[in-house]
Amino acid sequence: MSGTAHVRAQPWQVGQWLNVREPLTLESLRGRVVVLHAFQMLCPGCVSHGIPQAKAIHAASPPDKLRVIGLHTVFEHHEAMTPLALEAFVHEYRLRFPIGIDQPAADSPIPLTMRAYGLEGTPSLILIDKAGCIRLQHFGQMDDLRVGAVIGQLLTEPA
Amino acid sequence: MSGTAHVRAQPWQVGQWLNVREPLTLESLRGRVVVLHAFQMLCPGCVSHGIPQAKAIHAASPPDKLRVIGLHTVFEHHEAMTPLALEAFVHEYRLRFPIGIDQPAADSPIPLTMRAYGLEGTPSLILIDKAGCIRLQHFGQMDDLRVGAVIGQLLTEPA
Amino acid sequence: MSGTAHVRAQPWQVGQWLNVREPLTLESLRGRVVVLHAFQMLCPGCVSHGIPQAKAIHAASPPDKLRVIGLHTVFEHHEAMTPLALEAFVHEYRLRFPIGIDQPAADSPIPLTMRAYGLEGTPSLILIDKAGCIRLQHFGQMDDLRVGAVIGQLLTEPA
Amino acid sequence: MSGTAHVRAQPWQVGQWLNVREPLTLESLRGRVVVLHAFQMLCPGCVSHGIPQAKAIHAASPPDKLRVIGLHTVFEHHEAMTPLALEAFVHEYRLRFPIGIDQPAADSPIPLTMRAYGLEGTPSLILIDKAGCIRLQHFGQMDDLRVGAVIGQLLTEPA
């Protein structure tokens, strides 16, 4: 899916955070553009494309205007992609932005936030505007030029 | 140079156009974002980076909102980069956007538009807003994410 | 290290194999060129360079003349890079060549084969000739052209 | 075409050489492996793939064992790809290996050496062994691993 409907983004359901001291809520980021990058550490397309893109956005953006948030949405190989393994991955790949571990569901391999957002797989990119509405949700690779253009648009809009 | 001063862009001084029937003036594009890509056909950085970026912007953009314009600013190897050679180059590299050949100067190897804009070399990227003001001028490579962000900003601003 | 001394390659000390039914010994491959690729599943340079190179060699080579063997030499983040996690990794990255899990040492984070070969880290590439001698051992990235040239040489030598 | 028939390579018909003082004959290189890279300066696949590959082979090879020779086989846009333009191209792309300009034919757009070798287009790669026989002739892109393997084989063969 790749669309622009102004749907209000649901709260994240995160059990554990990396790279941040306090749990991060979407509400606390109101007024900023939020780039939510859903990934799995053993997903090849995430490692080759999505994560480098998220790192580049993080490096290029002023934190008072835009925040990159990783979301580890494990829906397969749960036994391999544990929080402990994710910590090693984050260390090796030098990820510095906050990463939330999506809360596992009791009744499904799909974790709670992934289900609430209707994500189809990883990597998925979700761009949320200053008012907390989803403006782009894309499964798979999306080139930097297009991602940059939407970010530039959202940054330009009034808060 | 890479800056954001709101300087009004000077008119182009172009002797010959490719890929377009009528000469194109900056004034006629008022209300649209203009991506001016200054290049030389035998400049390796233009061929590997600048021209593919210009092609990608051209392919991704609605022509009623944004126009990509090539500017062949020959300041070296004039005998090799003739209009005839440029036509072969444009054909082989499948460039579809309008390309103006910057007018040679009588007293300098630097052609007239290149001098008027104060370009330092090729590739150079100039982003002009809907009001005809230069908002970014960059010599060398600039990554797609940043270029996209400025384009997204300029597209979002009111005409 | 990158050298060409004709040292006889030591036997592998592998506790578990993936992608192969029977344990593979170096002796059983005598007469073939052996490309031994030492890696860790959470090593970024392995994922971006070493593993794709090993896959390409595997895809390009007739198995009766050359065999690509992966060696999972875990020397850090042991708790994350378990056999179970490696299986998920091998599945996701579609690795088809045999992969041995280097035997952990009782007294060191460095596993036994890694220590016996004196490997400095991952990725490491070891090229073994038809007679079982190490002809190239390289830590880090090595470009395809050079790797190909040594492989071509070893394939051409009489058995 | 991509084959391995041991056909003796024809003499080159070159009117002008760049990067070398004296005309180079194939006979004078007997005993060395010769990598003949046929290209056109305005051929996109040559610029993006073939020429960088030829440069890498040149940089990696000892000149007493292997020689890279460029062959400018102009078969289209003759008016643009003149010797003068080629000189500017060679300067800008920093090509250091000898380059011969294939002799134009009186009765055809295909130059003489290109016709004698039966080349289908550019880029074309021709690998000639120490005895002067063509061992590989390939039109289009060929990956470094395979090219390296054939080069390694030819270097290993006795003179």
Side-chain angles (χ1 to χ4, degrees):
Chain A
M1 182 179 71
S2 172
T4 58
H6 289 227
V7 179
R8 184 159 295 272
Q10 307 248 358
W12 307 321
Q13 303 186 55
V14 164
Q16 185 182 340
W17 285 91
L18 277 66
N19 288 340
V20 71
R21 288 186 196 156
E22 299 287 317
L24 263 172
T25 64
L26 190 52
E27 289 74 37
S28 71
L29 300 173
R30 198 60 46 85
R32 291 169 176 164
V33 174
V34 174
V35 175
L36 187 62
H37 171 62
F39 73 103
Q40 292 182 108
M41 59 175 280
L42 295 185
C43 150
C46 300
V47 169
S48 67
H49 175 81
I51 289 171
Q53 188 175 66
K55 286 178 78 168
I57 298 170
H58 178 66
S61 305
D64 59 322
K65 296 192 174 155
L66 182 149
R67 293 296 293 272
V68 174
I69 310 288
L71 184 67
H72 199 227
T73 52
V74 180
F75 64 92
E76 57 188 346
H77 307 299
H78 297 79
E79 71 293 351
M81 294 191 270
T82 61
L84 201 67
L86 178 63
E87 279 182 47
F89 177 84
V90 165
H91 178 265
E92 287 302 312
Y93 281 85
R94 301 181 189 186
L95 307 188
R96 308 283 190 237
F97 48 80
I99 294 171
I101 299 177
D102 196 2
Q103 192 88 329
D107 59 343
S108 160
I110 313 287
L112 297 180
T113 313
M114 186 174 186
R115 185 159 61 184
Y117 275 71
L119 302 184
E120 293 170 87
T122 55
S124 281
L125 179 71
I126 300 119
L127 299 186
I128 301 171
D129 67 17
K130 296 171 184 170
C133 289
I134 294 176
R135 299 291 290 280
L136 184 134
Q137 182 169 318
H138 184 83
F139 167 48
Q141 300 195 3
M142 191 173 191
D143 66 66
D144 284 352
L145 201 58
R146 290 176 191 266
V147 173
V150 180
I151 287 175
Q153 175 187 351
L154 299 190
L155 285 171
T156 306
E157 293 176 351
Chain B
M1 183 180 70
S2 172
T4 58
H6 289 227
V7 180
R8 185 160 294 275
Q10 308 246 0
W12 306 321
Q13 303 186 55
V14 165
Q16 185 182 340
W17 285 91
L18 277 67
N19 289 341
V20 70
R21 288 187 197 156
E22 298 288 317
L24 262 173
T25 64
L26 189 52
E27 289 75 38
S28 72
L29 300 172
R30 198 59 47 86
R32 291 168 177 165
V33 175
V34 174
V35 175
L36 185 63
H37 172 62
F39 73 103
Q40 293 183 106
M41 59 175 280
L42 295 185
C43 151
C46 301
V47 169
S48 67
H49 175 82
I51 290 171
Q53 187 175 65
K55 286 177 78 168
I57 298 170
H58 179 65
S61 305
D64 59 323
K65 296 191 175 158
L66 182 149
R67 293 297 293 272
V68 174
I69 309 289
L71 183 68
H72 198 227
T73 52
V74 180
F75 65 91
E76 57 189 345
H77 306 301
H78 297 78
E79 71 292 352
M81 294 190 270
T82 61
L84 200 67
L86 179 63
E87 278 182 50
F89 177 84
V90 165
H91 178 265
E92 286 302 312
Y93 281 84
R94 301 181 189 185
L95 306 188
R96 308 282 190 237
F97 48 81
I99 294 171
I101 299 177
D102 195 4
Q103 193 88 329
D107 59 344
S108 161
I110 313 287
L112 297 180
T113 312
M114 186 175 186
R115 184 159 62 182
Y117 276 71
L119 301 184
E120 293 170 86
T122 55
S124 282
L125 181 71
I126 300 120
L127 299 186
I128 301 170
D129 67 17
K130 295 171 184 171
C133 290
I134 293 177
R135 298 292 289 280
L136 184 135
Q137 182 167 318
H138 184 83
F139 167 48
Q141 299 196 4
M142 192 172 191
D143 66 66
D144 283 352
L145 202 57
R146 290 176 191 265
V147 173
V150 180
I151 288 175
Q153 176 188 349
L154 300 188
L155 285 171
T156 305
E157 293 176 350
Chain C
M1 182 179 72
S2 172
T4 58
H6 289 227
V7 179
R8 185 159 296 275
Q10 308 247 358
W12 306 321
Q13 303 187 55
V14 165
Q16 185 182 338
W17 285 91
L18 277 68
N19 288 340
V20 69
R21 287 187 197 155
E22 298 288 317
L24 263 172
T25 64
L26 189 52
E27 290 74 38
S28 71
L29 300 172
R30 199 58 48 85
R32 291 169 177 164
V33 174
V34 174
V35 175
L36 186 62
H37 172 61
F39 73 103
Q40 293 183 108
M41 58 175 280
L42 295 185
C43 151
C46 300
V47 169
S48 67
H49 175 82
I51 290 171
Q53 187 175 65
K55 286 177 78 167
I57 298 170
H58 178 66
S61 304
D64 59 322
K65 296 191 175 157
L66 181 149
R67 293 295 293 272
V68 174
I69 310 288
L71 184 67
H72 198 227
T73 53
V74 180
F75 64 92
E76 57 188 347
H77 307 300
H78 297 78
E79 71 292 351
M81 295 190 270
T82 62
L84 201 67
L86 179 63
E87 278 182 50
F89 177 85
V90 165
H91 178 265
E92 286 302 312
Y93 281 85
R94 300 181 189 186
L95 307 187
R96 309 283 190 235
F97 48 80
I99 294 172
I101 300 177
D102 195 3
Q103 193 88 330
D107 59 344
S108 161
I110 313 287
L112 297 180
T113 312
M114 186 176 186
R115 184 159 62 182
Y117 275 70
L119 301 184
E120 293 169 87
T122 55
S124 281
L125 181 71
I126 301 120
L127 299 186
I128 301 170
D129 67 17
K130 295 171 184 169
C133 290
I134 294 177
R135 299 293 288 281
L136 182 135
Q137 182 168 316
H138 184 83
F139 167 47
Q141 299 196 2
M142 191 173 192
D143 67 66
D144 283 353
L145 202 57
R146 290 176 191 266
V147 173
V150 180
I151 288 175
Q153 175 187 350
L154 300 189
L155 285 171
T156 306
E157 293 176 351
Chain D
M1 182 177 72
S2 172
T4 58
H6 290 228
V7 179
R8 185 159 296 273
Q10 308 248 358
W12 307 321
Q13 303 186 55
V14 164
Q16 185 181 340
W17 285 91
L18 277 67
N19 289 340
V20 71
R21 288 187 195 155
E22 298 288 317
L24 263 173
T25 65
L26 189 52
E27 290 74 37
S28 71
L29 300 172
R30 198 59 47 85
R32 290 170 177 162
V33 174
V34 174
V35 175
L36 187 61
H37 171 62
F39 73 103
Q40 292 183 106
M41 58 175 281
L42 295 185
C43 150
C46 300
V47 169
S48 67
H49 175 82
I51 290 171
Q53 188 175 65
K55 286 176 79 168
I57 298 170
H58 178 65
S61 304
D64 59 322
K65 296 193 175 155
L66 181 148
R67 293 297 294 270
V68 174
I69 310 288
L71 184 67
H72 198 227
T73 53
V74 180
F75 64 91
E76 56 188 347
H77 307 299
H78 296 77
E79 71 292 351
M81 295 190 270
T82 62
L84 200 67
L86 179 63
E87 279 182 48
F89 177 84
V90 165
H91 178 266
E92 287 302 311
Y93 281 85
R94 300 180 189 188
L95 306 188
R96 308 283 190 236
F97 48 80
I99 294 170
I101 300 177
D102 196 3
Q103 192 89 329
D107 59 343
S108 160
I110 313 286
L112 297 181
T113 312
M114 186 175 186
R115 184 158 63 183
Y117 276 70
L119 302 184
E120 293 169 87
T122 55
S124 281
L125 180 71
I126 301 121
L127 299 185
I128 301 171
D129 67 17
K130 295 171 184 171
C133 289
I134 293 177
R135 298 291 289 281
L136 182 133
Q137 182 167 317
H138 184 82
F139 167 47
Q141 301 196 2
M142 191 172 191
D143 66 67
D144 284 352
L145 201 59
R146 291 176 191 266
V147 172
V150 180
I151 287 175
Q153 176 187 351
L154 300 189
L155 285 171
T156 306
E157 294 175 351

